Amino acid sequence: MFTHIMIGSNDLERARDFYDATFAALGGKPGEVDARGRLIYVHEGGRLMITKPIDGGPATVANGGTIGIGAASADHVLAWHEAGTTHGGKAIESPPAARPNGSFVAYLRDPDGHKLTARTQPTAG
């Protein structure tokens, strides 16, 4: 259904440090910068793009928005959470844990304040 998610950043180098580390923890590759200066991550068919806002205003976060990132295992979720908090992210909500549906979930805010979650697929319906 979705081709990509685009978020804004006020500091692309800080964002790159955070996202390179968190995607590496999930087995992903470092981001690449395109000709327009956008930072692009491709992982398991999804694309996350990070840019300074085109209108020249400051980047702000979505109130109520969450970006969900798939992880292969609980160990990947834990590594993602650790990499994120080590590289400028902030742990939020509950500590990383299993959910009643069998998925393992962790939450972070990136250095710009975007809410992220890494999670495994549910095992129960």
Side-chain angles (χ1 to χ4, degrees), residues 13 16 31-40:
E13 285 307 310
R16 183 177 212 155
E32 295 184 10
V33 177
D34 72 3
R36 296 166 85 182
R38 300 175 299 191
L39 185 56
I40 301 173

Side-chain angles (χ1 to χ4, degrees), residues 2-69:
F2 303 107
T3 60
H4 67 280
I5 296 171
M6 174 94 63
I7 59 175
S9 177
N10 294 306
D11 185 337
L12 290 176
E13 285 307 310
R14 181 182 68 183
R16 183 177 212 155
D17 181 55
F18 175 85
Y19 283 101
D20 278 2
T22 57
F23 277 113
L26 296 174
K29 296 179 182 172
E32 295 184 10
V33 177
D34 72 3
R36 296 166 85 182
R38 300 175 299 191
L39 185 56
I40 301 173
Y41 292 87
V42 178
H43 184 67
E44 296 182 1
R47 291 168 51 99
L48 175 66
M49 302 169 69
I50 305 164
T51 187
K52 291 193 174 221
I54 291 173
D55 67 5
T60 59
V61 298
N63 186 18
T66 302
I67 299 169
I69 301 166

Side-chain angles (χ1 to χ4, degrees), residues 25-28 43-44 69-78 80 102-104 118-123:
L26 296 174
H43 184 67
E44 296 182 1
I69 301 166
S73 69
D75 287 341
H76 280 111
V77 173
L78 291 169
W80 174 86
S103 64
F104 193 85
R119 59 187 52 229
T120 61
Q121 290 296 317
T123 58

